[in-house]
Amino acid sequence: MKKTLLGVIAACVIAMAAMAADAPFNDNVPDKYTVKKGDTLWDISDLFLRDPWLWPEIWYVNPQIRNPHLIYPGDVISLVYIDGRPRLMLQRGRDVKLSPGVKVLPHAEAIPTLPLDIVNNFLTRNRVVTQEEADAAPYVVAGHEKRILTGLNDSFYARGEFDETPAYGLYRIGEPYVDPETDEMLGIRAQDIGSAKVKTVDGDIATLMATRVVEEVRIGERLLPHEERRLESNFYPSGPDGEIEGVIMAVEGGITQVGHLDVVAINRGEREGLKVGNVLAIFKRGETVKDRIAKDEITLPSERAGLVMVFRTFEKMSYGLVLNAERPLAINDLVKNP
């Protein structure tokens, strides 16, 4: 009887060890972690998991917790075993017992998925428009008293089709995003320059006043209706639903090298099934070298070298944030399913 019981216990221990080995957890993960202000979901996922985008698959949803997918500073995340399988479970650290209920925690206080200061700063400065949108937008024709540049609170003149929109964003039209594989134009970058309000409209000429300027307004800047660009802070990392293969087209700042927490443009978007929160692996393209024996050139295999998470999608392209760069990356490096 004693041997049988010991055998059962030993079998259970072996089974538990095997399941733990198969789990996507890092070595020596903590039993508990208390969430701090400034944490992101990706940081915590990376602490526990070898593949952080698998977070939703090992998350144990406690039905007793309101909004269990929202995580707040002070909450405790524990490694537990449910039906013999490792899971991460949330224990609220800030629910305050009241009568008759509990204190409600606003969504805005939940930790974000990504470092939103970087992402929001990028989004406030950039948007992607089509060629048709750029061509149809009113444009600055002259500054007050024929000045070439316009500053804060200065009046200026713009020409185009104006409706009853009282205020516009001022944008400098940049270079188009062109798919390096197909030469298809995927969109045009519009850089935020400022804002202006309409004072008067006479036919197709409007007089406006600059109410916000990031740079001095030049002749030719385009006027576009303000865009609602609220970024959902609590989306969750995930792999794409289908197969994705693309390339990094550009990196913020006009440089060619890509590193940790850089914003990159990817030549895949909503039409290919890419969604906000999708994680892609970055592969460094293999170099072309000369085979001195065969006397020809060969291309070495691509090597996995980083991770990028998509935070904004358009029909034909997307923006992503590089979360991991194990070696220097560059424009035209590949992105694929992790």
Side-chain angles (χ1 to χ4, degrees), residues 124-144:
T124 57
R125 297 199 314 264
N126 297 273
R127 65 192 287 184
V128 174
V129 298
T130 64
Q131 185 68 62
E132 293 74 19
E133 288 173 325
D135 291 342
Y139 53 92
V140 177
V141 292
H144 189 59

Side-chain angles (χ1 to χ4, degrees), residues 114-306:
L114 299 175
L116 292 187
D117 54 340
I118 297 174
V119 174
N120 279 328
N121 188 42
F122 174 82
L123 290 179
T124 57
R125 297 199 314 264
N126 297 273
R127 65 192 287 184
V128 174
V129 298
T130 64
Q131 185 68 62
E132 293 74 19
E133 288 173 325
D135 291 342
Y139 53 92
V140 177
V141 292
H144 189 59
E145 298 179 347
K146 297 183 180 180
R147 283 183 294 180
I148 297 176
L149 301 176
T150 298
L152 181 64
N153 296 326
D154 287 344
S155 294
F156 64 93
Y157 304 95
R159 187 177 187 183
E161 184 175 338
F162 292 90
D163 50 26
E164 297 180 356
T165 302
Y168 288 86
L170 286 159
Y171 290 87
R172 185 168 299 157
I173 301 303
E175 295 296 319
Y177 289 111
V178 178
D179 191 319
E181 298 177 324
T182 65
D183 290 332
E184 178 186 11
M185 190 174 76
L186 307 180
I188 299 175
R189 176 181 173 180
Q191 179 186 351
D192 174 67
I193 299 299
S195 300
K197 69 176 182 180
V198 178
K199 297 170 67 175
T200 62
V201 177
D202 184 1
D204 65 347
I205 304 294
T207 304
L208 302 97
M209 183 179 74
T211 57
R212 178 183 64 88
V213 291
V214 179
E215 298 182 22
E216 289 186 308
V217 181
R218 305 172 184 172
I219 292 173
E221 314 285 34
R222 295 285 174 165
L223 280 70
L224 297 168
H226 284 293
E227 181 185 37
E228 177 59 43
R229 285 177 289 183
R230 177 179 176 272
L231 178 69
E232 185 62 46
S233 65
N234 55 358
F235 58 85
Y236 290 88
S238 62
D241 294 334
E243 289 295 320
I244 298 289
E245 290 191 10
V247 299
I248 294 175
M249 297 187 296
V251 57
E252 170 67 359
I255 57 180
T256 58
Q257 296 301 305
V258 182
H260 179 58
L261 295 183
D262 276 340
V263 173
V264 296
I266 300 168
N267 68 333
R268 295 292 182 265
E270 294 167 356
R271 67 179 179 181
E272 287 83 22
L274 212 52
K275 299 177 182 177
V276 169
N278 282 170
V279 176
L280 298 170
I282 306 173
F283 286 79
K284 187 72 179 173
R285 284 186 183 271
E287 297 179 358
T288 299
V289 298
K290 186 174 182 179
D291 184 335
R292 299 182 183 276
I293 305 301
K295 301 187 184 304
D296 60 4
E297 290 188 341
I298 59 172
T299 300
L300 301 178
S302 299
E303 296 182 1
R304 179 164 167 166

